[in-house]
PDB file of all heavy atoms in Angstrom:
ATOM      1  N   LYS G 208      -2.737  -7.638 -22.773  1.00 96.00           N
ATOM      2  CA  LYS G 208      -3.487  -8.894 -22.748  1.00 96.00           C
ATOM      3  C   LYS G 208      -3.878  -9.268 -24.175  1.00 96.00           C
ATOM      4  O   LYS G 208      -4.251  -8.408 -24.970  1.00 96.00           O
ATOM      5  CB  LYS G 208      -4.754  -8.711 -21.905  1.00 96.00           C
ATOM      6  CG  LYS G 208      -5.570  -9.975 -21.695  1.00 96.00           C
ATOM      7  CD  LYS G 208      -5.128 -10.694 -20.442  1.00 96.00           C
ATOM      8  CE  LYS G 208      -6.120 -11.771 -20.059  1.00 96.00           C
ATOM      9  NZ  LYS G 208      -5.700 -12.519 -18.876  1.00 96.00           N
ATOM     10  N   GLY G 209      -3.802 -10.554 -24.492  1.00 95.00           N
ATOM     11  CA  GLY G 209      -4.258 -11.029 -25.779  1.00 95.00           C
ATOM     12  C   GLY G 209      -3.128 -11.245 -26.765  1.00 95.00           C
ATOM     13  O   GLY G 209      -1.942 -11.148 -26.420  1.00 95.00           O
ATOM     14  N   PRO G 210      -3.459 -11.542 -28.008  1.00 95.00           N
ATOM     15  CA  PRO G 210      -2.439 -11.779 -29.039  1.00 95.00           C
ATOM     16  C   PRO G 210      -1.549 -10.553 -29.237  1.00 95.00           C
ATOM     17  O   PRO G 210      -1.998  -9.409 -29.099  1.00 95.00           O
ATOM     18  CB  PRO G 210      -3.266 -12.065 -30.299  1.00 95.00           C
ATOM     19  CG  PRO G 210      -4.641 -12.388 -29.818  1.00 95.00           C
ATOM     20  CD  PRO G 210      -4.832 -11.658 -28.540  1.00 95.00           C
ATOM     21  N   LEU G 211      -0.279 -10.806 -29.594  1.00 95.00           N
ATOM     22  CA  LEU G 211       0.680  -9.725 -29.827  1.00 95.00           C
ATOM     23  C   LEU G 211       1.074  -9.742 -31.306  1.00 95.00           C
ATOM     24  O   LEU G 211       2.054 -10.389 -31.702  1.00 95.00           O
ATOM     25  CB  LEU G 211       1.917  -9.898 -28.934  1.00 95.00           C
ATOM     26  CG  LEU G 211       1.679  -9.925 -27.431  1.00 95.00           C
ATOM     27  CD1 LEU G 211       2.993 -10.134 -26.680  1.00 95.00           C
ATOM     28  CD2 LEU G 211       1.006  -8.645 -26.958  1.00 95.00           C
ATOM     29  N   PRO G 212       0.332  -9.061 -32.146  1.00 93.00           N
ATOM     30  CA  PRO G 212       0.645  -9.073 -33.581  1.00 93.00           C
ATOM     31  C   PRO G 212       1.948  -8.351 -33.886  1.00 93.00           C
ATOM     32  O   PRO G 212       2.405  -7.501 -33.120  1.00 93.00           O
ATOM     33  CB  PRO G 212      -0.557  -8.343 -34.192  1.00 93.00           C
ATOM     34  CG  PRO G 212      -1.064  -7.458 -33.104  1.00 93.00           C
ATOM     35  CD  PRO G 212      -0.831  -8.210 -31.828  1.00 93.00           C
ATOM     36  N   ASP G 213       2.562  -8.688 -35.031  1.00 93.00           N
ATOM     37  CA  ASP G 213       3.762  -7.994 -35.464  1.00 93.00           C
ATOM     38  C   ASP G 213       3.474  -6.507 -35.638  1.00 93.00           C
ATOM     39  O   ASP G 213       2.402  -6.109 -36.103  1.00 93.00           O
ATOM     40  CB  ASP G 213       4.265  -8.577 -36.793  1.00 93.00           C
ATOM     41  CG  ASP G 213       4.769 -10.000 -36.653  1.00 93.00           C
ATOM     42  OD1 ASP G 213       5.101 -10.398 -35.508  1.00 93.00           O
ATOM     43  OD2 ASP G 213       4.825 -10.708 -37.678  1.00 93.00           O
ATOM     44  N   GLY G 214       4.455  -5.713 -35.247  1.00 95.00           N
ATOM     45  CA  GLY G 214       4.325  -4.268 -35.413  1.00 95.00           C
ATOM     46  C   GLY G 214       3.522  -3.565 -34.337  1.00 95.00           C
ATOM     47  O   GLY G 214       3.244  -2.372 -34.450  1.00 95.00           O
ATOM     48  N   LEU G 215       3.146  -4.295 -33.275  1.00 96.00           N
ATOM     49  CA  LEU G 215       2.355  -3.688 -32.204  1.00 96.00           C
ATOM     50  C   LEU G 215       3.199  -2.657 -31.461  1.00 96.00           C
ATOM     51  O   LEU G 215       4.331  -2.938 -31.055  1.00 96.00           O
ATOM     52  CB  LEU G 215       1.868  -4.767 -31.240  1.00 96.00           C
ATOM     53  CG  LEU G 215       0.877  -4.338 -30.150  1.00 96.00           C
ATOM     54  CD1 LEU G 215      -0.450  -3.928 -30.768  1.00 96.00           C
ATOM     55  CD2 LEU G 215       0.658  -5.483 -29.152  1.00 96.00           C
ATOM     56  N   THR G 216       2.654  -1.457 -31.270  1.00 97.00           N
ATOM     57  CA  THR G 216       3.361  -0.402 -30.544  1.00 97.00           C
ATOM     58  C   THR G 216       2.446   0.230 -29.512  1.00 97.00           C
ATOM     59  O   THR G 216       1.222   0.243 -29.657  1.00 97.00           O
ATOM     60  CB  THR G 216       3.861   0.711 -31.489  1.00 97.00           C
ATOM     61  OG1 THR G 216       2.750   1.317 -32.156  1.00 97.00           O
ATOM     62  CG2 THR G 216       4.838   0.156 -32.515  1.00 97.00           C
ATOM     63  N   LEU G 217       3.075   0.769 -28.481  1.00 97.00           N
ATOM     64  CA  LEU G 217       2.363   1.541 -27.467  1.00 97.00           C
ATOM     65  C   LEU G 217       2.843   2.975 -27.552  1.00 97.00           C
ATOM     66  O   LEU G 217       4.050   3.239 -27.445  1.00 97.00           O
ATOM     67  CB  LEU G 217       2.601   0.974 -26.065  1.00 97.00           C
ATOM     68  CG  LEU G 217       1.860   1.681 -24.931  1.00 97.00           C
ATOM     69  CD1 LEU G 217       0.348   1.592 -25.117  1.00 97.00           C
ATOM     70  CD2 LEU G 217       2.247   1.096 -23.569  1.00 97.00           C
ATOM     71  N   GLN G 218       1.918   3.882 -27.750  1.00 97.00           N
ATOM     72  CA  GLN G 218       2.229   5.304 -27.841  1.00 97.00           C
ATOM     73  C   GLN G 218       1.787   5.996 -26.556  1.00 97.00           C
ATOM     74  O   GLN G 218       0.661   5.797 -26.106  1.00 97.00           O
ATOM     75  CB  GLN G 218       1.535   5.934 -29.049  1.00 97.00           C
ATOM     76  CG  GLN G 218       1.905   5.292 -30.373  1.00 97.00           C
ATOM     77  CD  GLN G 218       1.066   5.802 -31.526  1.00 97.00           C
ATOM     78  OE1 GLN G 218       0.160   6.621 -31.355  1.00 97.00           O
ATOM     79  NE2 GLN G 218       1.360   5.314 -32.732  1.00 97.00           N
ATOM     80  N   ALA G 219       2.682   6.795 -25.999  1.00 97.00           N
ATOM     81  CA  ALA G 219       2.398   7.524 -24.758  1.00 97.00           C
ATOM     82  C   ALA G 219       2.588   9.010 -24.990  1.00 97.00           C
ATOM     83  O   ALA G 219       3.622   9.433 -25.518  1.00 97.00           O
ATOM     84  CB  ALA G 219       3.309   7.045 -23.633  1.00 97.00           C
ATOM     85  N   VAL G 220       1.583   9.801 -24.617  1.00 97.00           N
ATOM     86  CA  VAL G 220       1.676  11.253 -24.696  1.00 97.00           C
ATOM     87  C   VAL G 220       1.396  11.809 -23.305  1.00 97.00           C
ATOM     88  O   VAL G 220       0.353  11.532 -22.710  1.00 97.00           O
ATOM     89  CB  VAL G 220       0.678  11.838 -25.718  1.00 97.00           C
ATOM     90  CG1 VAL G 220       0.735  13.366 -25.699  1.00 97.00           C
ATOM     91  CG2 VAL G 220       0.963  11.296 -27.108  1.00 97.00           C
ATOM     92  N   ILE G 221       2.335  12.595 -22.793  1.00 97.00           N
ATOM     93  CA  ILE G 221       2.233  13.177 -21.456  1.00 97.00           C
ATOM     94  C   ILE G 221       2.018  14.677 -21.601  1.00 97.00           C
ATOM     95  O   ILE G 221       2.726  15.351 -22.361  1.00 97.00           O
ATOM     96  CB  ILE G 221       3.503  12.897 -20.636  1.00 97.00           C
ATOM     97  CG1 ILE G 221       3.674  11.384 -20.438  1.00 97.00           C
ATOM     98  CG2 ILE G 221       3.449  13.608 -19.284  1.00 97.00           C
ATOM     99  CD1 ILE G 221       5.015  10.997 -19.833  1.00 97.00           C
ATOM    100  N   SER G 222       1.044  15.213 -20.892  1.00 96.00           N
ATOM    101  CA  SER G 222       0.771  16.647 -20.935  1.00 96.00           C
ATOM    102  C   SER G 222       0.647  17.193 -19.521  1.00 96.00           C
ATOM    103  O   SER G 222       0.376  16.460 -18.569  1.00 96.00           O
ATOM    104  CB  SER G 222      -0.496  16.937 -21.740  1.00 96.00           C
ATOM    105  OG  SER G 222      -1.610  16.248 -21.186  1.00 96.00           O
ATOM    106  N   PHE G 223       0.848  18.491 -19.425  1.00 94.00           N
ATOM    107  CA  PHE G 223       0.724  19.190 -18.145  1.00 94.00           C
ATOM    108  C   PHE G 223      -0.086  20.455 -18.384  1.00 94.00           C
ATOM    109  O   PHE G 223       0.282  21.286 -19.215  1.00 94.00           O
ATOM    110  CB  PHE G 223       2.105  19.533 -17.584  1.00 94.00           C
ATOM    111  CG  PHE G 223       2.070  20.170 -16.217  1.00 94.00           C
ATOM    112  CD1 PHE G 223       1.976  19.381 -15.075  1.00 94.00           C
ATOM    113  CD2 PHE G 223       2.113  21.548 -16.069  1.00 94.00           C
ATOM    114  CE1 PHE G 223       1.934  19.956 -13.823  1.00 94.00           C
ATOM    115  CE2 PHE G 223       2.070  22.128 -14.815  1.00 94.00           C
ATOM    116  CZ  PHE G 223       1.978  21.334 -13.689  1.00 94.00           C
ATOM    117  N   GLU G 224      -1.214  20.544 -17.675  1.00 92.00           N
ATOM    118  CA  GLU G 224      -2.130  21.671 -17.823  1.00 92.00           C
ATOM    119  C   GLU G 224      -2.508  21.873 -19.292  1.00 92.00           C
ATOM    120  O   GLU G 224      -2.570  23.003 -19.791  1.00 92.00           O
ATOM    121  CB  GLU G 224      -1.534  22.944 -17.224  1.00 92.00           C
ATOM    122  CG  GLU G 224      -1.356  22.847 -15.708  1.00 92.00           C
ATOM    123  CD  GLU G 224      -0.807  24.117 -15.091  1.00 92.00           C
ATOM    124  OE1 GLU G 224      -0.338  24.997 -15.867  1.00 92.00           O
ATOM    125  OE2 GLU G 224      -0.830  24.230 -13.855  1.00 92.00           O
ATOM    126  N   GLY G 225      -2.744  20.743 -19.985  1.00 93.00           N
ATOM    127  CA  GLY G 225      -3.215  20.792 -21.358  1.00 93.00           C
ATOM    128  C   GLY G 225      -2.134  20.920 -22.417  1.00 93.00           C
ATOM    129  O   GLY G 225      -2.430  20.818 -23.615  1.00 93.00           O
ATOM    130  N   GLU G 226      -0.877  21.115 -22.020  1.00 92.00           N
ATOM    131  CA  GLU G 226       0.211  21.274 -22.973  1.00 92.00           C
ATOM    132  C   GLU G 226       1.078  20.021 -23.001  1.00 92.00           C
ATOM    133  O   GLU G 226       1.548  19.566 -21.955  1.00 92.00           O
ATOM    134  CB  GLU G 226       1.080  22.474 -22.609  1.00 92.00           C
ATOM    135  CG  GLU G 226       0.363  23.812 -22.670  1.00 92.00           C
ATOM    136  CD  GLU G 226      -0.051  24.157 -24.090  1.00 92.00           C
ATOM    137  OE1 GLU G 226       0.693  23.797 -25.033  1.00 92.00           O
ATOM    138  OE2 GLU G 226      -1.124  24.777 -24.261  1.00 92.00           O
ATOM    139  N   PRO G 227       1.304  19.423 -24.198  1.00 93.00           N
ATOM    140  CA  PRO G 227       2.179  18.246 -24.274  1.00 93.00           C
ATOM    141  C   PRO G 227       3.591  18.573 -23.798  1.00 93.00           C
ATOM    142  O   PRO G 227       4.142  19.627 -24.158  1.00 93.00           O
ATOM    143  CB  PRO G 227       2.162  17.887 -25.765  1.00 93.00           C
ATOM    144  CG  PRO G 227       0.918  18.529 -26.298  1.00 93.00           C
ATOM    145  CD  PRO G 227       0.732  19.789 -25.502  1.00 93.00           C
ATOM    146  N   VAL G 228       4.178  17.681 -22.996  1.00 93.00           N
ATOM    147  CA  VAL G 228       5.537  17.903 -22.500  1.00 93.00           C
ATOM    148  C   VAL G 228       6.470  16.756 -22.846  1.00 93.00           C
ATOM    149  O   VAL G 228       7.696  16.916 -22.799  1.00 93.00           O
ATOM    150  CB  VAL G 228       5.552  18.139 -20.972  1.00 93.00           C
ATOM    151  CG1 VAL G 228       4.788  19.395 -20.609  1.00 93.00           C
ATOM    152  CG2 VAL G 228       4.994  16.935 -20.227  1.00 93.00           C
ATOM    153  N   ALA G 229       5.917  15.583 -23.187  1.00 94.00           N
ATOM    154  CA  ALA G 229       6.766  14.445 -23.523  1.00 94.00           C
ATOM    155  C   ALA G 229       5.923  13.414 -24.256  1.00 94.00           C
ATOM    156  O   ALA G 229       4.703  13.334 -24.075  1.00 94.00           O
ATOM    157  CB  ALA G 229       7.390  13.829 -22.271  1.00 94.00           C
TER     158      ALA G 229
END
Side-chain angles (χ1 to χ4, degrees):
K208 185 91 167 178
L211 301 179
D213 293 339
L215 187 67
T216 61
L217 182 61
Q218 302 172 358
V220 176
I221 297 171
S222 58
F223 184 83
E224 295 182 348
E226 296 294 326
V228 297

